[in-house]
Amino acid sequence: MNAKNFNRILAIDIMRGITLFLMLFVNDLYEPGVPKWMVHTKATEDAMGLADWVFPGFLFMVGLSIPFAFMYRQKKGEGTAKLLWHIAVRTLSLLLIGVLMVNIHRLNPELAGINQNLWAILVYISIFLIWNTYPNSKNYNIVFKALKLIGVIGLIILAFIFKAGTPNDPQWLITSWWGILGLIGWGYFAASVSYLLAKGSFVKVSLIWLLFIALNVLSLLGLLTFLDGVAPYFGVLVSGNVPSIVICGLLVGMILKKYKLQPDKLFKILIPFGVLVLTSGFILRNWFIISKIQGTPSWAMICNGISILVFCVLFFIIDYLKLIKWSAIFKPAGQNSLTTYLAPDIIYFTIWGLGLNILFYKQEESVLLAVLGSVVWAFAMIGFAALLSKINIKLKL
């Protein structure tokens, strides 16, 4: 194969875009009205549906992208200190947004003095004002800085007025389970720091991966109760589950970075690795049920195995065979993931706040309508995010 054909790995953007599309799809599904295999399984069930793979699939892609993101920054001359600062800022940003999102439904309108939907919309608008990638224009730099400042002040005010609980027991923001973006933040932090401190050593990163798998096992066996004191803050790291998924993606990214110009050799490494990881998940099933809610190692490894093999298929189709036209619709979502994930929530809260009967497909009478409605919604939302990108609304942490 011609090496120049593999300078840009399009399969990374497309798989990230597909996982985002599926996240929008499964998050929109009206569970009582759709097939069980599409939605999350119950916490005590030994099974997994489509929705149980989608999020770990995205986590996997977070890890896979790290070697390439770091390579890009290092080419710009960024050293270890700058990379650590970038990791810290990105992690804290994801944690903050995640906490705000997870607290939306806790807000008590009577105590806070503001409608829940309105509070949520204002939070999202503030987020977009702060983290938007503004055009590089000297004429409007002051305006862009003012918009960022408005966003910061907005979040401070919204956090200050937040009240949950009851008049007798008022409560403020809590970390809870950190929300989806918070989990991504912790996973990104674990994988990025591991990669940086290991200085790109595959062996060292592999050992760190095994360490987090061991933490996941020990946590579920109840052998890490002595760490309960730090669990409210560092529980995602201590439990090992989310970091193990992201670091598995990191290992695949490291292999891909090394052999991207040798696709035949790449497949000979990744396909057996994917099968091995998938098999290990089923072996772990002898002791731990497959459960996303419980965050079991069997579920994590099965999802990782699926992600590795799916990526191999996409790489083969897109970057090897160059069959790319079909994937164009997913590319903007893959390149603008945070906007694609957050923008639909503004529409949701606007619909709910205004009481609009737009989501009529959320019903039990017609399974076909319920499913197709969510498919249309997911496509519309990735199109919406692509439109926002064209008018310079693009979030970047």
Side-chain angles (χ1 to χ4, degrees):
M1 296 298 298
N2 191 337
K4 69 179 181 180
N5 292 331
F6 289 92
N7 288 333
R8 173 76 181 183
I9 303 174
L10 187 57
I12 295 177
D13 291 331
I14 301 306
M15 183 162 171
R16 192 188 298 115
I18 290 173
T19 56
L20 274 165
F21 168 80
L22 290 174
M23 285 174 74
L24 294 172
F25 169 66
V26 300
N27 287 343
D28 186 68
L29 285 173
Y30 183 67
E31 293 197 13
V34 302
K36 186 177 178 181
W37 64 266
M38 288 186 176
V39 299
H40 295 294
T41 54
K42 304 300 181 185
T44 55
E45 287 186 86
D46 181 22
M48 60 180 284
L50 172 64
D52 295 315
W53 170 77
V54 173
F55 179 53
F58 186 81
L59 287 175
F60 175 87
M61 293 307 297
V62 169
L64 189 149
S65 303
I66 288 173
F68 300 95
F70 275 40
M71 179 176 66
Y72 172 74
R73 288 184 170 277
Q74 288 167 337
K75 282 184 177 180
K76 292 197 303 180
E78 294 188 13
T80 302
K82 277 195 173 183
L83 288 171
L84 284 171
W85 174 252
H86 171 72
I87 292 169
V89 170
R90 194 176 194 192
T91 299
L92 290 173
S93 298
L94 287 167
L95 295 181
L96 173 61
I97 299 172
V99 167
L100 290 169
M101 290 176 65
V102 86
N103 277 276
I104 290 172
H105 297 292
R106 294 184 61 248
L107 183 136
N108 185 326
E110 293 181 3
L111 294 180
I114 185 171
N115 177 272
Q116 190 180 86
N117 293 312
L118 178 58
W119 188 87
I121 291 170
L122 293 174
V123 164
Y124 281 105
I125 290 174
S126 298
I127 289 170
F128 272 80
L129 288 175
I130 296 170
W131 283 283
N132 185 46
T133 304
Y134 294 99
N136 187 13
S137 171
K138 291 182 180 179
N139 296 329
Y140 294 97
N141 273 346
I142 294 177
V143 175
F144 298 150
K145 288 179 180 179
L147 290 175
K148 283 180 177 286
L149 181 60
I150 291 171
V152 171
I153 294 172
L155 277 192
I156 292 172
I157 293 173
L158 291 166
F160 179 77
I161 67 174
F162 180 91
K163 293 290 187 300
T166 65
N168 295 327
D169 182 27
Q171 300 171 10
W172 196 53
L173 298 167
I174 60 173
T175 57
S176 185
W177 58 283
W178 294 99
I180 292 295
L181 291 185
L183 295 180
I184 293 173
W186 282 120
Y188 168 78
F189 174 79
S192 296
V193 172
S194 297
Y195 183 68
L196 195 59
L197 296 183
K199 297 181 179 179
S201 167
F202 188 84
V203 173
K204 291 179 181 178
V205 174
S206 297
L207 291 174
I208 295 172
W209 180 45
L210 294 176
L211 171 62
F212 278 110
I213 294 173
L215 285 174
N216 194 189
V217 170
L218 293 173
S219 177
L220 289 173
L221 291 175
L223 299 177
L224 297 180
T225 53
F226 64 93
L227 294 174
D228 285 350
V230 300
Y233 308 102
F234 303 104
V236 179
L237 297 178
V238 172
S239 69
N241 185 260
V242 168
S244 75
I245 296 172
V246 183
I247 293 176
C248 182
L250 170 61
L251 288 170
V252 171
M254 294 169 70
I255 295 170
L256 180 63
K257 181 171 172 283
K258 184 174 182 179
Y259 296 108
K260 66 177 183 177
L261 302 181
Q262 300 171 265
D264 295 336
K265 191 168 185 178
L266 179 68
F267 292 133
K268 288 179 181 178
I269 296 172
L270 284 188
I271 292 175
F273 183 47
V275 172
L276 177 63
V277 172
L278 186 66
T279 303
S280 68
F282 283 105
I283 292 174
L284 285 166
R285 191 185 184 192
N286 290 306
W287 300 278
F288 305 97
I289 65 170
I290 303 171
S291 174
K292 175 185 184 293
I293 305 300
Q294 292 188 33
T296 60
S298 52
W299 165 75
M301 297 298 273
I302 289 171
C303 288
N304 282 336
I306 293 172
S307 297
I308 295 169
L309 297 176
V310 168
F311 179 77
C312 286
V313 171
L314 289 174
F315 183 86
F316 179 74
I317 293 172
I318 296 169
D319 292 287
Y320 190 87
L321 297 181
K322 300 298 179 184
L323 302 175
I324 60 176
K325 288 185 179 180
W326 67 273
S327 67
I329 192 169
F330 300 108
K331 186 177 178 180
Q335 295 180 337
N336 195 13
S337 56
L338 190 57
T339 307
T340 304
Y341 181 71
L342 291 182
D345 282 355
I346 298 178
I347 298 179
Y348 272 134
F349 286 111
T350 301
I351 291 172
W352 296 333
L354 296 176
L356 302 176
N357 189 27
I358 296 175
L359 309 178
F360 60 89
Y361 56 89
K362 292 178 178 290
Q363 43 70 54
E364 298 183 53
E365 288 73 24
S366 171
V367 174
L368 182 61
L369 179 60
V371 174
L372 286 180
S374 292
V375 170
V376 172
W377 171 268
F379 275 120
M381 291 305 100
I382 61 176
F384 178 52
L387 176 62
L388 291 177
S389 180
K390 288 184 178 180
I391 59 175
N392 294 314
I393 299 177
K394 183 177 182 180
L395 296 178
K396 187 175 183 181
L397 303 181

